[in-house]
Structures are given as structure tokens and as C-alpha cells.
């Protein structure tokens, strides 16, 4: 397998930097927060990936834009729910954070109370996350777990995962400093978001390799985003540090939940990372 191509990487990150500058300038021009323009910004990794692939002759199927293995796509969508559940359990275990059973996480829908309401909420998150949310998530994931993961595959599973996660986290900076996710800590939030993205990344890589498709990352991302609000809703605290940096899907609780999942991946055998997606998924041996 050849080494990562510096010219392709420079083009990819150049497009992303241009998109970040355009986001800030566009927000200033219309007098809005960059957060308001975030739905459009979410597609900038896809645009960057397409510019590289179409401009340098890299087939889209080679970078994972393919159906892949449907069973693993289903696993990717469903996996978000136990990860959110683990995050919630870790969050409410923190001193100073309580569980608020009376909260209505979906106030715009008349859902039943009790366990039936929780089940209905989870099914709603799964349905919307795997459809509407996944479309927006693919705008990110084609760039991160499609092109960039393919480009960095020669680094191996773990190093490529960390590198993609770090780039993914830093890419969020323009909206984080504007108050997204960590409104009380906009600067610290950039580091916190980057740490979260690095922690999340091995699980994303694992599912993409097993599914042989970048769609797995879009499904996990979409359902996780759709259900992560349950953590914010049920984990009750008046402390900004606890609420934003600890008991949050992108705080310490979410980081620990994904690190535990990454540990399970390592314990069961890390799959090899190949540039040809239809050759991925083979469990790595000690020699690899």
C-alpha cells in the first residue's frame, strides 16, 4: 500500500480551510452566528473529498461510497443507542449530576409516559437518525471516513483513526468558538471537542471497515446525533462545567463511553485497514 499523498491531502485541507473562512465571512455578512449556517458547513468535508476524488481520478467506490454489507450498516445504526445509553449512565454517576425522570425529551410530540415513552423516543431517534440526520452526517463522513480514512489507511487502524479524529475535531472550531456544544467555554470547547472526536473515531473506523462502506459512519453519526439529546435532557445539573464538559455526549461521559467501546474493539481483534474497501475487515494479527 502506497503512502498518503501529500498533494491530495493539501487539496483536501485547503478546501476545508476555505470553507471555514467562508463560514465566518458569510455569517458576518448576514449578521448571523456561524451556528446558524452550520447545516451548510456540515457538507464541506464532502465537497473537499469530492474535489480531491474527482480532480485526481480516485473512484468514489474506492473511498467507500458503496452499499457495502447491509448487516453491518444495520449494526452501525443500532450501535449509537447503547453508546448513548452508556454515556447517560456515566453522566448520572458523576457527583453533582442527577437523573430527571420527569423531563420530556420530545416536547413537540405527545408520547406515552413511562417505559413505553422511552421506547417510542428511542425508535423515533433511530428512524430520524438513520434517514434525515444520516443525510447531513454523510456530508461530513464522506470527507472524514470516506476520502481521508482511505488516504491515511497506510498508517494503520489506530494511527489513521486518531489522525482522522483530530482533523474532525479541529474542523468544528468555527462553530465551537461561536458557542456550539460548549457555550460557557468556547475556547476550551475546541480542545474538548477534538478530544471527543479522537475518542469517537476508532469506533467509526471499525464499523466502516466491517461494513465496507462510508454509509456506516453516516448511520452511526446520524443516530448518535439524533439520540444524544437524551443525555442532555435526562442528566440534570446546574453546574456549567458538569453540564457541558463532563455529563455531555461530547464531554467526559461521551469520551469514556466511546473509549470503552474502542477497548472492546481492541480486545476482540482490530480489523486491518485497507485502501480497497472490499478487502477490509480481516482481523489483524500481532505481526500487523
Amino acid at each position: 500500500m502506497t503512502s498518503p499523498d501529500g498533494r491530495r491531502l493539501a487539496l483536501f485541507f485547503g478546501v476545508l480551510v476555505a470553507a471555514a473562512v467562508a463560514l465566518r465571512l458569510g455569517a458576518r455578512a448576514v449578521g448571523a452566528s456561524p451556528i446558524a449556517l452550520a447545516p451548510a458547513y456540515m457538507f464541506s468535508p464532502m465537497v473537499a473529498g469530492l474535489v480531491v476524488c474527482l480532480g485526481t481520478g480516485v473512484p468514489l467506490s474506492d473511498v467507500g461510497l458503496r452499499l457495502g454489507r447491509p448487516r453491518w450498516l444495520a449494526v452501525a445504526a443500532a450501535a449509537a443507542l447503547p453508546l448513548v445509553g452508556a454515556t447517560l449512565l456515566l453522566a448520572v454517576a458523576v457527583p453533582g449530576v442527577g437523573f430527571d425522570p420527569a423531563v420530556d425529551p420530545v416536547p413537540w410530540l405527545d408520547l406515552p409516559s413511562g417505559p413505553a415513552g422511552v421506547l417510542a423516543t428511542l425508535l423515533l431517534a433511530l428512524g430520524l437518525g438513520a434517514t434525515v440526520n444520516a443525510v447531513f452526517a454523510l456530508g461530513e463522513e464522506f470527507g472524514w471516513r470516506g476520502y481521508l480514512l482511505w488516504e491515511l489507511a497506510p498508517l494503520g487502524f489506530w494511527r489513521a483513526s486518531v489522525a482522522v479524529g483530530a482533523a474532525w475535531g479541529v474542523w468544528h472550531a468555527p462553530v465551537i468558538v461561536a458557542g456550539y456544544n460548549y457555550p460557557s467555554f468556547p475556547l476550551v470547547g475546541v480542545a474538548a471537542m477534538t478530544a471527543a472526536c479522537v475518542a469517537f473515531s476508532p469506533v467509526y473506523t471499525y464499523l466502516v471497515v466491517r461494513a465496507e462502506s462510508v454509509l456506516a459512519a453516516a448511520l452511526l453519526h446520524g443516530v448518535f446525533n439524533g439520540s444524544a439529546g437524551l443525555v442532555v435532557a435526562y442528566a440534570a445539573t446546574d453546574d456549567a462545567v458538569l453540564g457541558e464538559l463532563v455529563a455531555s455526549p461530547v464531554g467526559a461521559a461521551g469520551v469514556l463511553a466511546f473509549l470503552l467501546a474502542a477497548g472492546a474493539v481492541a480486545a476482540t481483534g482490530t480489523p486491518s485497514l485497507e485502501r480497497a474497501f472490499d478487502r477490509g475487515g480481516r482481523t489483524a494479527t500481532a505481526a500487523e
Side-chain angles (χ1 to χ4, degrees):
M1 194 168 10
T2 59
S3 300
D5 187 287
R7 288 175 297 179
R8 288 195 299 251
L9 286 170
L11 178 58
F12 178 75
F13 286 111
V15 173
L16 289 179
V17 169
V21 172
L23 174 68
R24 299 296 296 186
L25 294 178
R28 184 179 302 174
V30 300
S33 167
I35 298 173
L37 303 182
Y41 183 63
M42 286 180 69
F43 286 91
S44 61
M46 173 177 272
V47 171
L50 287 173
V51 167
V52 173
C53 292
L54 298 179
T56 62
V58 177
L60 298 184
S61 60
D62 280 8
V63 299
L65 195 60
R66 57 203 302 271
L67 181 60
R69 303 166 70 188
R71 178 170 66 91
W72 278 98
L73 294 179
V75 169
L81 298 181
L83 285 166
V84 168
T87 300
L88 179 58
L89 289 175
L90 291 166
V92 299
V94 175
V97 179
F99 179 76
D100 184 0
V103 72
D104 183 1
V106 194
W108 44 275
L109 276 182
D110 185 19
L111 296 177
S113 58
V118 173
L119 178 60
T121 301
L122 292 176
L123 291 175
L124 180 65
L126 181 62
L128 291 178
T131 53
V132 178
N133 281 10
V135 171
F136 286 91
L138 183 60
E140 290 189 43
E141 294 302 339
F142 178 80
W144 304 131
R145 249 66 59 166
Y147 162 70
L148 188 58
L149 184 63
W150 171 86
E151 187 70 73
L152 300 182
L155 301 181
F157 181 95
W158 293 103
R159 287 195 296 166
S161 294
V162 169
V164 171
W168 183 28
V170 172
W171 168 84
H172 285 87
V175 291
I176 298 296
V177 296
Y180 186 69
N181 281 341
Y182 315 91
S184 304
F185 310 97
L187 297 181
V188 173
V190 175
M193 189 67 187
T194 302
C197 288
V198 169
F200 293 0
S201 197
V203 176
Y204 278 78
T205 301
Y206 175 81
L207 290 168
V208 166
V209 172
R210 291 300 192 200
E212 300 176 1
S213 171
V214 71
L215 299 179
L219 289 166
L220 174 62
H221 195 156
V223 178
F224 185 80
N225 280 5
S227 54
L230 296 174
V231 179
V232 178
Y234 286 119
T237 179
D238 294 326
D239 186 282
V241 172
L242 292 178
E244 297 175 24
L245 299 177
V246 180
S248 161
V250 287
V255 166
L256 183 54
F258 272 87
L259 287 178
L260 290 172
V265 168
T268 56
T270 306
S272 61
L273 183 59
E274 303 281 351
R275 275 209 174 145
F277 271 73
D278 59 355
R279 294 203 303 269
R282 181 169 52 87
T283 300
T285 65
E288 293 176 313

